[in-house]
Amino acid sequence: MVSALGPGVPPDMLGRRVLVDPGLYRDSSADKPPVGFLGSEADGGFAEFVVVDADHAHDMTGSPLTDEQLACLPVAYGTATGMLDRAGVLPGERLLVTGASGGVGLALVQLASARGSEVVAVTSAANAEAVRESGAAHVLLRDAEDLAAQVRALAPDGLDAVADVVGGPLIGTLMPTLRDDGRWVIAGAVAGRVVEFDLRRLYLHNITLIGSSMHTRAHFAALAEAARAGVLAPRIAARFPLTSLHDAQQAFARTREAGKIVITVAEPSGDHR
């Protein structure tokens, strides 16, 4: 909620419910990713009040999402929006998402499903149902020995695209499941940053390999529009008051539950679940 205005800001912004783009940009261009983030390279991520440029505050008037759901969006959903946009994922296309129960992975599932894509999600058995509820048409277990064979059975003509937040050996395992002219977009390397795969698969089948780092101003504006339209439903795994921030960080370090951990500025009633 906007509680005060600086010089030159339209008066009707006061009291508006807004979603803040936390990106710190080098310039005002619409298509460049951030060089830093609020709460990382600048203070203000865990605070009751924060000062931002007016063009970083996107009006959420009329959005059906709760304040907690809106708080889940900026980094994970922004990164996912950038991945889908850079890979040109279209309605009706079959998209595989790795690490589908993580923050960016679950956002990819929801956003791609909202676009009308058929999502094949790779996750753990413990989070399979949560990923399915988030919009995945098919859920495959990441530890399956025959993972590539299962993908081929679902997509005998090949996947249109892969949105990867894991990296590691899965790249070599699953790249052959892409169709000719398919796209592989990657924004993470938690399973390994140095990988090995057959380069012939890349050039003989015209595969496009895309690196995607965070979102741009244009991506965040598109995300804000999706939030206003209510096509997203961020999943909340736990919530903690700001006074219990260290407990929240410890929960983040140990949990593998699908969904986001939310920090509230008012003491909630009941337990944290």
Side-chain angles (χ1 to χ4, degrees):
M1 189 75 69
V2 177
S3 60
L5 303 176
V9 180
D12 62 356
M13 282 293 292
L14 189 64
R16 291 289 181 97
R17 184 170 176 250
V18 297
L19 174 65
V20 172
D21 178 355
L24 306 175
Y25 300 95
R26 182 177 291 110
D27 55 42
S28 60
S29 59
D31 60 351
K32 298 295 190 297
V35 296
F37 273 102
L38 186 70
S40 178
E41 285 71 29
D43 291 340
F46 296 129
E48 293 174 296
F49 295 93
V50 64
V51 177
V52 298
D53 291 338
D55 63 357
H56 282 228
H58 294 259
D59 189 357
M60 287 293 110
T61 301
S63 172
L65 273 63
T66 66
D67 289 352
E68 290 183 352
Q69 288 177 314
L70 289 174
C72 295
L73 297 180
V75 178
Y77 282 76
T79 298
T81 300
M83 293 176 72
L84 296 175
D85 185 74
R86 291 181 178 113
V89 177
L90 299 172
E93 288 195 313
R94 187 175 283 120
L95 170 75
L96 183 139
V97 176
T98 67
S101 64
V104 177
L106 207 61
L108 283 164
V109 171
Q110 288 195 358
L111 288 165
S113 297
R115 288 187 180 206
S117 303
E118 181 182 343
V119 177
V120 180
V122 179
T123 188
S124 64
N127 287 315
E129 189 57 33
V131 171
R132 188 175 287 107
E133 290 174 355
S134 294
H138 313 280
V139 177
L140 303 179
L141 302 185
R142 67 189 181 202
D143 296 328
E145 293 183 2
D146 60 343
L147 181 58
Q150 290 186 56
V151 173
R152 289 191 187 94
L154 289 172
D157 297 326
L159 298 165
D160 296 296
V162 172
D164 185 13
V165 294
V166 173
L170 274 183
I171 295 179
T173 300
L174 294 181
M175 189 171 287
T177 66
L178 274 173
R179 64 167 173 81
D180 287 3
D181 301 306
R183 296 94 69 202
W184 189 294
V185 60
I186 187 163
V190 295
R193 60 184 181 176
V194 179
V195 301
E196 180 177 317
F197 64 89
D198 190 338
L199 277 175
R200 295 170 298 178
R201 185 72 201 179
L202 198 66
Y203 66 79
L204 290 177
H205 297 272
N206 296 312
I207 303 299
T208 301
L209 188 59
I210 306 160
S212 183
S213 176
M214 302 176 288
H215 63 265
T216 64
R217 291 180 189 270
H219 292 146
F220 201 88
L223 176 62
E225 180 58 36
R228 282 189 290 269
V231 299
L232 307 172
R235 184 184 181 91
I236 298 172
R239 50 181 60 79
F240 291 81
L242 184 59
T243 52
S244 299
L245 179 58
H246 292 297
D247 293 334
Q249 291 172 325
Q250 290 171 0
F252 174 78
R254 66 174 179 264
T255 187
R256 294 295 180 267
E257 184 178 346
K260 303 289 287 184
I261 294 175
V262 173
I263 303 299
T264 62
V265 294
E267 191 75 25
S269 59
D271 61 23
H272 300 316
R273 294 286 172 179

